[in-house]
Amino acid sequence: MKTLRVALDGPAGAGKSTVAKLVAKSLGLTYVDTGAMYRAITWKALQEQINPADEAALTAISSRVQIDFKLTSEGQDVFLDGVDITEEIRARDVTANVSAVSAVPGVRASLVKLQQEIANKMGVVMDGRDIGTVVLPDADVKIWLTASVEERARRRYEEMTAKGHQLDFEQLKRDIERRDELDSGREHSPMKRADDAVIVDTSGLGIEAVVEKILHICRSAE
Ligand code: C5P
């Protein structure tokens, strides 16, 4: 079971990271949040005031920086060149720009290489948008995790307001729809369900039920 490679893709806010963490823990695999890597590059680009349309500069950043993860009891911390940016990469300006940055082929090339290197060394549950199609096309298990946009927005809204953030539900819903459009419409490695991925629709399901469903699929692939 240790070398199982699980690809977990799907649209924004489908609950991928929550589910992936729990599945990884239960199966003794390493959780890899690829969205955090694209967010880290976006954060760095914003810090250096690089225009998200400047492909050469973004490509240079992604081949230069070092991204590391450190497992914690809550999930994982994200480091860029040794600096802890776990909180920073969830900021609104990072979320607003990450789709543009992740559409750059040079950025994708560096990060896909890093993701494949990790998965070559250990069993993983890797969450993202192109894991089943591009990063690990021969993954042992491929899951497409989805839910209605209404439900995804509601969950994100509850999560953010519980943390004390103030936001407008309709705006949040539009932002999620916009990010999905950009991620699925881009030219290079668009967000796409792999033909052989199992669809898990989480609308109306609790986390435990979703995790159980995915564990069942993983155990059948052993
Ligand atoms: O998963 P998360 O919502 O944190 O991902 C942030 C963004 O990173 C996505 O909206 C997408 O633009 C990009 N991404 C990607 N490919 C992946 C993972 C994330 O393009 N494998």
Side-chain angles (χ1 to χ4, degrees), residues 88-114:
E88 287 80 350
I89 60 170
R90 304 289 157 197
R92 201 175 274 180
D93 58 343
V94 171
T95 304
N97 286 286
V98 65
S99 291
V101 171
S102 65
V104 175
V107 172
R108 301 206 72 80
S110 295
L111 295 186
V112 167
K113 185 165 166 270
L114 173 62

Side-chain angles (χ1 to χ4, degrees), residues 153-179:
R154 187 184 54 73
R155 287 185 199 150
R156 186 57 61 88
Y157 181 81
E158 284 170 4
E159 182 188 323
M160 299 298 276
T161 46
K163 282 186 191 161
H165 297 283
Q166 294 223 328
L167 22 95
D168 176 69
F169 178 77
E170 289 304 323
Q171 181 61 44
L172 180 70
K173 199 168 123 190
R174 280 195 297 275
D175 289 348
I176 287 181
E177 281 173 322
R178 178 77 187 129
R179 195 142 65 90

Side-chain angles (χ1 to χ4, degrees), residues 14 146-148 150-152 154-155 200-210 213:
T146 189
S148 68
E150 193 74 26
E151 174 125 1
R152 289 187 279 131
R154 187 184 54 73
R155 287 185 199 150
V200 176
D201 189 330
T202 69
S203 307
L205 287 183
I207 290 168
E208 271 177 34
V210 176
K213 234 178 202 223

Side-chain angles (χ1 to χ4, degrees), residues 16-177:
K16 295 187 297 294
S17 61
T18 308
V19 167
K21 264 177 227 163
L22 292 168
V23 169
K25 196 167 179 198
S26 183
L27 298 178
L29 303 169
T30 300
Y31 165 55
V32 184
D33 177 358
T34 64
M37 297 180 181
Y38 290 95
R39 287 174 179 273
I41 301 296
T42 306
W43 175 81
K44 181 75 175 167
L46 291 169
Q47 287 285 304
E48 296 197 355
Q49 300 189 338
I50 288 167
N51 186 324
D54 187 344
E55 297 200 1
L58 292 168
T59 301
I61 288 189
S62 38
S63 57
R64 188 175 78 220
V65 298
Q66 161 106 18
I67 297 173
D68 296 299
F69 292 112
K70 197 166 106 196
L71 288 177
T72 66
S73 52
E74 266 123 66
Q76 58 186 205
D77 289 344
V78 184
F79 294 82
L80 189 135
D81 292 336
V83 179
D84 185 346
I85 54 165
T86 312
E87 289 295 320
E88 287 80 350
I89 60 170
R90 304 289 157 197
R92 201 175 274 180
D93 58 343
V94 171
T95 304
N97 286 286
V98 65
S99 291
V101 171
S102 65
V104 175
V107 172
R108 301 206 72 80
S110 295
L111 295 186
V112 167
K113 185 165 166 270
L114 173 62
Q115 292 152 17
Q116 290 173 334
E117 280 168 6
I118 296 173
N120 272 338
K121 281 190 249 158
M122 58 195 96
V124 291
V125 179
M126 195 172 272
D127 93 34
R129 303 293 191 287
D130 61 341
I131 311 305
T133 50
V134 175
V135 181
L136 304 175
D138 58 352
D140 303 290
V141 176
K142 295 184 188 178
I143 307 282
W144 179 260
L145 200 71
T146 189
S148 68
V149 68
E150 193 74 26
E151 174 125 1
R152 289 187 279 131
R154 187 184 54 73
R155 287 185 199 150
R156 186 57 61 88
Y157 181 81
E158 284 170 4
E159 182 188 323
M160 299 298 276
T161 46
K163 282 186 191 161
H165 297 283
Q166 294 223 328
L167 22 95
D168 176 69
F169 178 77
E170 289 304 323
Q171 181 61 44
L172 180 70
K173 199 168 123 190
R174 280 195 297 275
D175 289 348
I176 287 181
E177 281 173 322

